[in-house]
Amino acid sequence: MNHYPIFTQLHQRKVLLVGGGQVAERKASALLQAGAQLKVVAQQTTSRFQDWFAAQQAEHIATEFSPALLSGVFLVVAATNDPALNRQVFLAAEAAATFCNCVDQPACCSFIVPALIDRSPIQVAISSGGHAPVLARLIRQQIEKLLPFSIGKAAALAGRWRTQVKQTLQHLSERRRFWEQLFQHSRFSQFVASGDEKAAESLLQQQLNAHQPLTQGEVVLVGAGPGDAGLLTLHALQALQAADVVLYDALVSAEVLELVRRDALRISVGKRCGNHQVQQQQTNELLVKWAQQGKRVARLKGGDPFVFGRGGEECAVLQAAGIPFRVIPGISAGLGATAYAGIPLTHRDYAQSVLFITGHQQLAAQSHGWHTLAGAQQTLVIYMGTLTAAEISRQLIAHGRAATTPVAIISQGTLPQQTVSTGQLHQLASLAQQAATPALIVIGEVVSLRQQLAWFQTSSAHESVAAA
């Protein structure tokens, strides 16, 4: 994040505007609407400026800019057609520790002015950080279509009731749920849109009187996918935005965590091979603890909760504790990472089945059924198998799989730093030693199709091919 977004209160604050042309006029109009005490430094101005001066809405300083004019000024805007003068204003503002914006000169800005959607008191700001203001404006136009004009009236009405709601509902989480119920699951917004504010307030009062605090929350097991935040489902995003507490795994990417509601409590319960930061029993206890306190808990898991994610165990614990829960599926790494690597899991000519297994357990156990795993015309996808890659390779070859069978190891699947190493089954151990983790092993003839499907590979993927 290159800029910290803020909305500044300018009411009755002194603002200095340097410039008197049409661009400065647009800036002045917005500053006056925000209630600023505007001083305009310009020897020549447009007729609209003259109207503002005549109505004493702004003060005209018909001189050249001087750093002394910054005394007592809250912020300054330079909007002249002289880049050198704008830079002079910026440097003077920097020396005076005053916020400054120079129009169309990002390097001379300590703050930027975003594209704005104004449904006062609701405001939505879109910024490109000065890189692509036209793109920001186009995004604003798209969002404008989604927001009803009455949303500002709804916010203003809610604001008048905020104190009463706060006095009635003592806990922040209860107030949040009350407002969510009012805005999303009642006719409140419809009444406001139709202009019937009396009916809207009556409904608000009824719901406030009838509101019952929750003594028990719920848990949502959310599949975070293999890493790329764009692969989250809509339901998963909604759950992350609604959660009061989020327990997340080590494999959940930073991009996905950025989508969690800002004020939600985040708790890492990550487990990586050889480093169990939090034991499963502790995770189970945390889920029950927070839900019993009436919190909405999101259990955020890499991939899919029910694919090697121990989601079934956690659901059983919640069921035994009488806590309501639901599961939101996610794209498993076996599906997402292979797709991003350009490797189809099945193919009419090469593989009629696919098996998903984990490789971190004792592979010598007969329960693995090596004869089944070594079968031809199938794809084998192995999670957490890099540490046991040598044993996997030895057993598969010993049970009939050709030593020349194509293999791939996909590291950091679906992320910009994804890498794909390919080779043959007898080379699997050496490939695994070089692979970054987390990694996914793919074994089968479908791996050879990766070269033919190169057009499908993400531009960020890097391939290293083992020597034959």
Side-chain angles (χ1 to χ4, degrees):
M1 186 167 65
N2 295 327
H3 293 84
Y4 182 76
I6 59 174
F7 285 90
T8 306
Q9 172 60 267
L10 294 183
H11 187 67
Q12 297 303 309
R13 293 186 185 273
K14 294 181 180 179
V15 175
L16 189 70
L17 173 63
V18 182
Q22 291 184 345
V23 174
E25 181 183 293
R26 292 198 297 270
K27 299 297 180 182
S29 177
L31 291 168
L32 290 173
Q33 289 180 38
Q37 290 186 351
L38 188 63
K39 295 184 177 183
V40 181
V41 180
Q43 295 184 359
Q44 294 182 341
T45 63
T46 65
S47 59
R48 192 175 183 193
F49 272 112
Q50 295 301 320
D51 293 338
W52 285 326
F53 299 149
Q56 297 184 338
Q57 293 177 279
E59 178 184 346
H60 186 199
I61 303 175
T63 63
E64 293 185 352
F65 171 77
S66 167
L69 294 172
L70 294 174
S71 177
V73 168
F74 182 71
L75 62 80
V76 58
V77 176
T80 77
N81 58 4
D82 184 347
L85 174 57
N86 290 343
R87 179 169 175 77
Q88 178 188 348
V89 174
F90 171 70
L91 293 175
E94 287 285 280
T98 302
F99 280 120
C100 178
N101 174 270
C102 293
V103 178
D104 290 334
Q105 291 181 242
C108 294
C109 293
S110 54
F111 77 95
I112 55 177
V113 180
L116 185 67
I117 299 172
D118 190 2
R119 302 281 197 275
S120 293
I122 295 293
Q123 292 179 301
V124 180
I126 303 100
S127 172
S128 67
H131 293 284
V134 173
L135 178 59
R137 177 173 56 80
L138 293 175
I139 294 172
R140 182 197 68 190
Q141 291 175 359
Q142 295 180 35
I143 299 177
E144 283 269 18
K145 302 174 185 177
L146 303 176
L147 297 180
F149 284 98
S150 60
I151 196 169
K153 294 180 180 179
L157 194 156
R160 296 198 295 268
W161 280 77
R162 198 173 173 200
T163 299
Q164 184 173 340
V165 171
K166 189 173 183 179
Q167 292 173 347
T168 304
L169 305 178
Q170 301 298 317
H171 297 290
L172 176 61
S173 59
E174 287 300 317
R175 294 196 295 272
R176 182 184 295 119
R177 292 179 186 180
F178 167 78
W179 289 116
E180 288 174 351
Q181 182 70 27
L182 184 74
F183 292 134
Q184 296 180 336
H185 306 294
S186 76
R187 299 182 63 193
F188 176 80
S189 297
Q190 298 175 27
F191 288 143
V192 174
S194 65
D196 194 348
E197 291 194 8
K198 184 177 180 180
E201 292 196 78
S202 177
L203 176 62
L204 192 158
Q205 182 69 73
Q206 292 174 19
Q207 294 205 182
L208 184 58
N209 293 339
H211 185 79
Q212 296 293 326
L214 290 177
T215 57
Q216 182 169 269
E218 70 162 0
V219 175
V220 185
L221 276 68
V222 181
D228 184 348
L231 295 178
L232 276 181
T233 67
L234 178 59
H235 284 177
L237 178 60
Q238 292 170 341
L240 294 184
Q241 289 290 303
D244 303 309
V245 181
V246 177
L247 279 64
Y248 63 93
D249 283 345
L251 294 181
V252 176
S253 69
E255 292 79 7
V256 171
L257 286 176
E258 278 296 308
L259 299 175
V260 174
R261 201 181 73 216
R262 295 298 180 187
D263 59 341
L265 176 63
R266 305 182 189 189
I267 303 174
S268 172
V269 292
K271 293 184 285 292
R272 297 292 292 273
C273 186
N275 181 22
H276 284 206
Q277 179 181 338
V278 178
Q279 297 295 327
Q280 185 62 45
Q281 179 62 30
Q282 293 176 272
T283 300
N284 296 343
E285 293 171 355
L286 287 171
L287 290 173
V288 173
K289 166 191 168 183
W290 288 110
Q292 287 179 340
Q293 293 181 17
K295 304 295 185 182
R296 288 175 296 191
V297 183
R299 176 67 176 98
L300 189 57
K301 293 175 168 291
D304 181 274
F306 281 2
V307 179
F308 305 126
R310 305 189 75 168
E313 299 174 41
E314 293 175 357
C315 287
V317 170
L318 296 169
Q319 183 182 40
I323 294 172
F325 65 88
R326 53 194 174 97
V327 179
I328 298 177
I331 295 178
S332 171
L335 301 178
T338 52
Y340 273 45
I343 301 174
L345 293 179
T346 61
H347 189 280
R348 182 172 59 181
D349 298 327
Y350 297 101
Q352 286 74 53
S353 63
V354 56
L355 298 177
F356 298 92
I357 66 170
T358 60
H360 71 294
Q361 298 175 348
Q362 294 296 325
L363 293 178
Q366 292 299 317
S367 60
H368 272 81
W370 287 109
H371 286 291
T372 300
L373 299 181
Q377 297 292 303
Q378 70 179 7
T379 304
L380 193 60
V381 178
I382 305 173
Y383 291 69
M384 300 167 283
T386 55
L387 294 180
T388 53
E391 177 69 3
I392 292 171
S393 175
R394 187 182 70 81
Q395 290 282 7
L396 290 177
I397 293 173
H399 287 81
R401 198 77 193 244
T404 56
T405 300
V407 299
I409 299 182
I410 307 169
S411 298
Q412 306 288 332
T414 76
L415 295 174
Q417 61 269 29
Q418 172 180 303
T419 60
V420 182
S421 299
T422 58
Q424 297 179 344
L425 182 56
H426 67 91
Q427 301 168 316
L428 185 61
S430 60
L431 291 174
Q433 289 178 351
Q434 303 170 29
T437 57
L440 190 77
I441 298 174
V442 185
I443 300 173
E445 283 68 21
V446 291
V447 173
S448 64
L449 296 172
R450 174 171 159 78
Q451 295 296 331
Q452 300 176 32
L453 302 178
W455 60 270
F456 189 70
Q457 299 168 20
T458 58
S459 60
S460 61
H462 168 73
E463 177 181 15
S464 60
V465 182

